[in-house]
Amino acid sequence: MTSASSSSTHADPAANSFQVDLRGLVDLLSHHLYSSPRVYVRELLQNAVDAVTARQALDPAAEIRIRLSATAGRVTIEDSGIGLTAAEAHSLLATIGRSSKRGGDHGLETTRREFLGQFGIGLLACFVVARQIRVITRSARDPQAAPVEWLATDDGSYTVRELPEDARREPGTTVILQARPGAEEWTVPAKVEQLARDYGSLLPYDITFTEGESGGEGSGGGEPRGITDRPAVWDRPFPTPAARRVALAGHCAQLFGFTPLDSIDLDLPVAGVRGVAYVLPEPTSPAHRAGHRVHLKGMLLTDHADNLLPDWAFFVRAVIDTDTLRPTASRENLYDDETLSAVREALGARVRAWLAELAASEPERLAAFLSVHHLGVKSLARHDAELLGLMLPWLPFETSEGSMSLQEFTAAHNEIHFTRTVEEFRQIAPIAAAHGLGVINAGYTYDADLLALLPTVRPDLKVTELDAGAVTERLDPVATSAELALAPFLSTARTRLEAQGCDVVLRAFQPVSVPALYLDDRQARQERDRTAALDSADSLWSGILGALRGSAPRARLVLNHNNPLIRRISALPDEALTGTAVESLYGQALLMSQRPLRPADSTLLNRAFLGLLEWATHSTDSQEGQK
């Protein structure tokens, strides 16, 4: 018993092969691996290019040709490539994961790096559109081998048989796809030609397209049209730089649909990358992920690569050809590895060098670029002090003296104040300009970061965030005698606004038309938030928050003594009416600052508005009674 059990335990198990459900594989390919059935054209071109590459390695003198044709429901591609024997057809066309490009399979190790295919899925991917695939092939390696037909259907079955000698006289392969129901749109001749041009325009061999029957399965049809367009436009010779710019602009318009502001060569021979970046003619959001076109050994890999260039280079669209970067499994994007990271950094350096060259030699072109894309340059300059110093004369900012560069602004102000919000800047800008206070609007993206870095580039400059005290100090003080005369009015005003956490001061400033100015800063807002939290906290937190009360400045309502309305209000004999008028001034100044209203502010505005209406109607009733 023991012996029998031991023998059974150590017996070799029977070997079994995995069974593959082809329909399930097609569903996997079309719904999970590939983004669109359109990739079947790429697979056909890829197989043909790899076949003729192998043929050239075997026989450099062999005539090379690839012909693609289409009729409704049928697509044919013929190549004069390496071909297959019957045994190779069994082994390579029907085995998932097996590839004729693998080193050692057929003695082609020296040319393996020239092949496009990497994953051995091969013709099976064409079942995303085909119900039947027919392959007629003859081997160039074995001149004595007969032509072979490999016929497969989407139910997962296939046959291989040898054909008569005259079925195909020359080495090479012809592939015929019959469309499956529902996929006919992908085999329409115009569609096939457009996809072939999109994928194969930079392939290293001449490829032609014919509408109708052509090649090894008949004759006739229209005139063959070239698919490839080599060399790439960025590698072509031109008589002048201007002619080259015109050609690149036309290429960009055809490829991306816009005429670029400029073009940037992306030439990295060490990394096996050649191409060009086109500068967008209109602003675009920094958050927008750019779609770049990447060709792998001439074959289009993707037209929406979003990891090719650094994020800050969102103002360009690039097209490159590479033989070093790795594709993902679907061959529809780039694998984000260390090689791509290094290439991305090098391409970013090319864009940065282009900016430096413009700044040094072509300021007019740089100014035109910055008028559209200053946001992208500001984004880059945050991380590059050298570039910030280089771009400083050109970067535009919104200032209290109008839109201008930092260089122009700092020529007049060695102390720079900035606001963190657009609303705060728009309220203070007219008054700051009238009183010689240099203020920059840092409420836009990246501006606050750049201003913080400015002293590292210009140590002679002082950069501070604008606060209520700095503005108040610049405004003209009122004569002591006048302020003493208005002491009762100011006391009433301060009492009324105490609950809002707002002080009241009297100054004389321009423009005269502004009766009151609401000034706030970060510390005042923090103190106000602390007070609001204190009002809603329990006893424990009230004690803690109360202990945090310090001498932080509060918001200020600055009344303009030059304004006639302020003088009339300050002379009102009715203290209650004076208080209501002050609340109205506070509300109007708060609205002009475009800050969010707190519930207490909304209540005050409603109270002041109704109070003024009541006073106006009561005054009218009194006048009617006197009549």
Side-chain angles (χ1 to χ4, degrees):
M1 176 70 71
T2 302
S3 175
S5 175
S6 174
S7 174
S8 175
T9 300
H10 291 87
D12 292 335
N16 293 286
S17 299
F18 285 106
Q19 299 299 310
V20 176
D21 177 2
L22 188 55
R23 291 184 184 275
L25 175 62
V26 170
D27 179 74
L28 175 67
L29 294 175
S30 59
H31 291 102
H32 301 284
L33 184 61
Y34 296 134
S35 62
S36 166
R38 70 198 301 267
V39 298
Y40 88 92
V41 174
R42 183 193 66 195
E43 296 294 338
L44 290 176
L45 292 174
Q46 176 179 291
N47 286 337
V49 168
D50 286 342
V52 296
T53 299
R55 177 74 182 277
Q56 276 204 325
L58 181 70
D59 180 8
E63 179 186 355
I64 297 301
R65 66 179 182 277
I66 300 175
R67 300 170 180 169
L68 179 66
S69 64
T71 59
R74 176 186 173 111
V75 176
T76 302
I77 188 167
E78 179 195 12
D79 67 69
S80 58
I82 196 70
L84 298 172
T85 63
E88 290 168 351
H90 273 294
S91 173
L92 302 176
L93 294 181
T95 304
I96 298 171
R98 180 74 61 86
S99 171
S100 62
K101 278 84 76 176
R102 289 182 178 176
D105 277 2
H106 300 290
L108 299 176
E109 180 64 29
T110 58
T111 61
R112 181 173 180 262
R113 62 180 177 275
E114 303 299 329
F115 290 113
L116 299 172
Q118 296 292 325
F119 299 96
I121 294 176
L123 283 178
L124 293 183
C126 294
F127 277 116
V128 296
V129 299
R131 66 174 177 83
Q132 182 189 84
I133 301 176
R134 185 185 182 202
V135 178
I136 299 172
T137 182
R138 185 162 194 164
S139 175
R141 296 191 193 94
D142 184 358
Q144 304 304 317
V148 174
E149 177 194 68
W150 180 87
L151 184 65
T153 59
D154 60 1
D155 64 1
S157 62
Y158 76 95
T159 60
V160 176
R161 66 187 179 100
E162 292 188 349
L163 298 176
E165 282 291 322
D166 59 353
R168 185 179 183 100
R169 293 184 175 86
E170 298 297 326
T173 301
T174 300
V175 180
I176 305 117
L177 304 185
Q178 296 289 347
R180 58 183 174 82
E184 293 88 354
E185 62 176 300
W186 296 103
T187 62
V188 173
K191 185 75 169 179
V192 175
E193 183 178 9
Q194 180 261 318
L195 291 175
R197 291 183 186 278
D198 202 32
Y199 279 115
S201 62
L202 298 184
L203 287 172
Y205 304 106
D206 290 335
I207 301 173
T208 60
F209 175 82
T210 305
E211 183 173 344
E213 299 287 344
S214 70
E217 285 298 299
S219 60
E223 287 295 319
R225 295 186 288 272
I227 293 298
T228 48
D229 185 23
R230 305 184 319 274
V233 63
W234 53 82
D235 283 330
R236 296 174 191 170
F238 292 95
T240 64
R244 186 173 190 270
R245 279 199 295 268
V246 170
L248 288 173
H251 176 253
C252 177
Q254 181 181 17
L255 204 61
F256 293 115
F258 65 84
T259 300
L261 279 178
D262 208 344
S263 57
I264 308 167
D265 282 320
L266 303 178
D267 183 10
L268 302 175
V270 175
V273 173
R274 283 283 293 152
V276 63
Y278 295 114
V279 181
L280 290 167
E282 297 178 351
T284 186
S285 169
H288 177 68
R289 302 290 287 180
H292 307 294
R293 288 178 66 91
V294 176
H295 294 258
L296 181 62
K297 301 183 181 74
M299 180 75 78
L300 179 68
L301 185 71
T302 178
D303 57 5
H304 54 267
D306 59 4
N307 55 358
L308 180 66
L309 291 177
D311 290 342
W312 56 259
F314 57 84
F315 49 83
V316 299
R317 295 290 180 272
V319 52
I320 68 163
D321 188 21
T322 176
D323 56 11
T324 58
L325 299 178
R326 289 176 56 196
T328 57
S330 65
R331 297 195 295 281
E332 292 187 288
N333 213 331
L334 292 172
Y335 187 77
D336 211 336
D337 56 8
E338 292 182 359
T339 302
L340 178 57
S341 179
V343 167
R344 181 165 52 238
E345 184 176 344
L347 293 178
R350 288 301 170 93
V351 177
R352 185 171 54 186
W354 169 78
L355 286 171
E357 183 180 343
L358 286 188
S361 60
E362 300 187 69
E364 291 185 359
R365 287 174 65 194
L366 178 63
F369 165 74
L370 287 178
S371 67
V372 178
H373 293 298
H374 58 273
L375 198 60
V377 178
K378 287 181 177 181
S379 172
L380 173 58
R382 292 180 305 149
H383 308 291
D384 192 328
E386 181 181 352
L387 185 65
L388 176 60
L390 183 67
M391 293 287 105
L392 188 61
W394 310 100
L395 290 176
F397 287 83
E398 185 178 5
T399 78
S400 52
E401 298 179 8
S403 180
M404 62 179 61
S405 69
L406 278 180
Q407 185 78 353
E408 294 171 316
F409 189 70
T410 56
H413 302 278
N414 58 7
E415 182 176 1
I416 296 176
H417 300 277
F418 67 91
T419 63
R420 288 191 177 271
T421 65
V422 175
E423 294 77 17
E424 187 177 3
F425 172 81
R426 288 176 180 169
Q427 184 197 21
I428 198 64
I431 296 158
H435 293 269
L437 187 66
V439 181
I440 291 179
N441 181 5
Y444 296 116
T445 306
Y446 307 132
D447 284 5
D449 294 337
L450 288 178
L451 291 174
L453 291 171
L454 189 55
T456 65
V457 179
R458 292 279 304 275
D460 57 310
L461 296 176
K462 180 181 179 182
V463 180
T464 58
E465 183 174 355
L466 185 70
D467 58 51
V471 177
T472 307
E473 289 172 7
R474 286 298 187 102
L475 304 181
D476 296 334
V478 178
T480 303
S481 58
E483 189 159 4
L484 286 174
L486 295 176
F489 163 68
L490 293 174
S491 177
T492 299
R494 289 167 181 148
T495 300
R496 278 300 187 104
L497 297 183
E498 176 65 29
Q500 309 304 122
C502 182
D503 289 334
V504 179
V505 296
L506 187 66
R507 290 290 187 273
F509 57 86
Q510 300 296 326
V512 174
S513 58
V514 178
L517 177 65
Y518 181 83
L519 296 177
D520 202 2
D521 54 36
R522 187 189 302 178
Q523 289 180 310
R525 288 191 289 271
Q526 289 174 344
E527 176 64 17
R528 194 163 56 245
D529 292 342
R530 188 202 62 79
T531 303
L534 178 62
D535 294 339
S536 60
D538 56 27
S539 57
L540 174 60
W541 282 107
S542 293
I544 295 173
L545 293 171
L548 295 176
R549 181 187 297 273
S551 58
R554 301 200 297 171
R556 296 183 183 186
L557 182 68
V558 183
L559 302 178
N560 188 359
H561 189 252
N562 291 338
N563 183 271
L565 178 61
I566 295 297
R567 296 193 178 192
R568 288 197 296 270
I569 292 174
S570 65
L572 290 172
D574 187 337
E575 184 177 331
L577 179 59
T578 299
T580 300
V582 168
E583 289 181 339
S584 298
L585 289 170
Y586 170 83
Q588 187 265 353
L590 196 61
L591 291 174
M592 289 298 293
S593 71
Q594 300 184 38
R595 288 176 173 80
L597 296 180
R598 298 169 296 164
D601 295 328
S602 299
T603 301
L604 178 142
L605 281 170
N606 289 332
R607 183 174 67 242
F609 177 70
L610 294 175
L612 289 177
L613 283 180
E614 184 178 353
W615 177 84
T617 54
H618 177 73
S619 177
T620 302
D621 290 344
S622 298
Q623 292 175 6
E624 290 294 331
Q626 291 175 2
K627 292 180 180 179

